[in-house]
Amino acid sequence: MSGFELEMNEYLPLRDVVFQTLRQAILRGELKPGERLMEIHLAQKLGVSRTPVREAIRKLEKEGLVTIEPRRGAYASQISTDDMVEILEVRQNMEGLAAFFAASRMKPEQMRELEDVSKKYNQAVADGNMQDMITYDTRFHRIIVESCNNKILVQMIEQLQELVLRFRYIYYDNFRRAENMPEEHQTILEAIENGDADAARQAADIHIDRLKDLIIREGV
């Protein structure tokens, strides 16, 4: 069984804490695609009864993160190359638009944070530090989205974020895939810094397009 612990929260009922703990374990890849979710083992590991575990598994099935099959039981849903390409297709359109808006709407303090996060991401790639790569890659794109000042677009991208998080954990499992990403991030950053909306959108588009090509070529 993968290494994760109950993420206690004094403001949430136990069933919700169990649900959030298992949900994050799947999104982070601590429960890997195809891994069996056995109620009794999970209950023992988390130090709870089987009831909140059973409820959490059923709720996760509704979200598509768990698959339940007769005679096979419950397991963390597989994520295929097609799934990942679909996620990237949606990201490509929405984040390209966010970069377009960010070029004229990003505040100076957001620009400084974007530069700082970009440097930290580059260092993580140089060090081969997967967790930091995921943290700073996520933050890099989130700053751009936050700065676009379009509430509808932000809400749409937020709905996609957790699927993107699961994608990142699978994608960065081979950190060498990230070798060209510092340069791609820099191109996006410079276009935004120069206030060139069309260039920012194109750079964001090319960045996601290259990710799609890698996924299609190499698979999950």
Side-chain angles (χ1 to χ4, degrees):
M1 186 67 66
S2 302
F4 59 92
E5 297 178 352
L6 198 65
E7 300 180 0
M8 293 306 297
N9 184 322
E10 61 181 305
Y11 301 108
L12 290 178
L14 180 62
R15 65 177 180 276
D16 293 339
V17 173
V18 171
F19 167 71
Q20 290 295 342
T21 299
L22 293 179
R23 192 168 188 265
Q24 288 301 311
I26 292 171
L27 291 172
R28 294 171 183 158
E30 293 164 342
L31 286 169
K32 299 186 182 303
E35 185 170 342
R36 285 280 307 278
L37 305 182
M38 300 176 70
E39 288 179 16
I40 190 166
H41 290 168
L42 288 170
Q44 289 172 349
K45 179 177 178 58
L46 298 176
V48 299
S49 71
R50 293 176 65 175
T51 300
V53 173
R54 186 180 304 116
E55 291 175 354
I57 288 173
R58 287 173 180 164
K59 199 171 175 182
L60 289 164
E61 182 189 25
K62 291 179 182 177
E63 290 200 2
L65 292 175
V66 166
T67 302
I68 300 175
E69 291 184 357
R71 294 182 298 278
R72 188 179 174 191
Y75 57 93
S77 296
Q78 299 282 358
I79 183 166
S80 67
T81 297
D82 288 344
D83 293 331
M84 295 176 87
V85 169
E86 286 180 9
I87 292 168
L88 288 170
E89 284 175 344
V90 178
R91 273 191 70 193
Q92 187 168 12
N93 284 284
M94 292 198 294
E95 293 196 15
L97 185 57
F100 179 89
F101 288 140
S104 61
R105 300 176 183 178
M106 184 173 284
K107 297 174 182 176
E109 61 269 24
Q110 291 172 318
M111 191 70 238
R112 287 192 294 271
E113 185 184 1
L114 191 67
E115 290 169 348
D116 181 60
V117 166
S118 180
K119 290 175 184 174
K120 289 176 178 175
Y121 175 79
N122 294 351
Q123 188 60 53
V125 173
D127 295 342
N129 186 325
M130 187 181 83
Q131 183 57 59
D132 280 357
M133 278 190 271
I134 291 168
T135 297
Y136 295 121
D137 185 23
T138 301
R139 185 61 193 152
F140 180 88
H141 290 284
R142 192 177 291 272
I143 293 166
I144 293 171
V145 171
E146 289 170 351
S147 72
C148 74
N149 290 339
N150 183 305
K151 284 185 277 190
I152 301 300
L153 183 58
V154 170
Q155 287 170 4
M156 291 174 68
I157 293 175
E158 283 295 322
Q159 290 176 355
L160 189 65
Q161 283 307 309
E162 289 182 334
L163 287 175
V164 172
L165 179 61
R166 193 177 189 209
F167 161 81
R168 283 192 172 102
Y169 272 95
I170 294 170
Y171 180 82
Y172 278 118
D173 193 47
N174 178 357
F175 72 86
R176 284 171 297 183
R177 289 172 166 174
E179 285 175 350
N180 295 322
M181 288 177 70
E183 181 182 338
E184 293 167 19
H185 280 187
Q186 185 63 27
T187 304
I188 298 169
L189 188 155
E190 288 176 358
I192 293 172
E193 195 170 33
N194 293 332
D196 191 332
D198 288 327
R201 187 173 199 163
Q202 183 180 31
D205 186 80
I206 290 170
H207 174 54
I208 303 295
D209 220 33
R210 288 179 178 169
L211 280 175
K212 280 197 302 184
D213 288 344
L214 270 173
I215 292 300
I216 292 167
R217 188 166 67 246
E218 297 183 11
V220 178

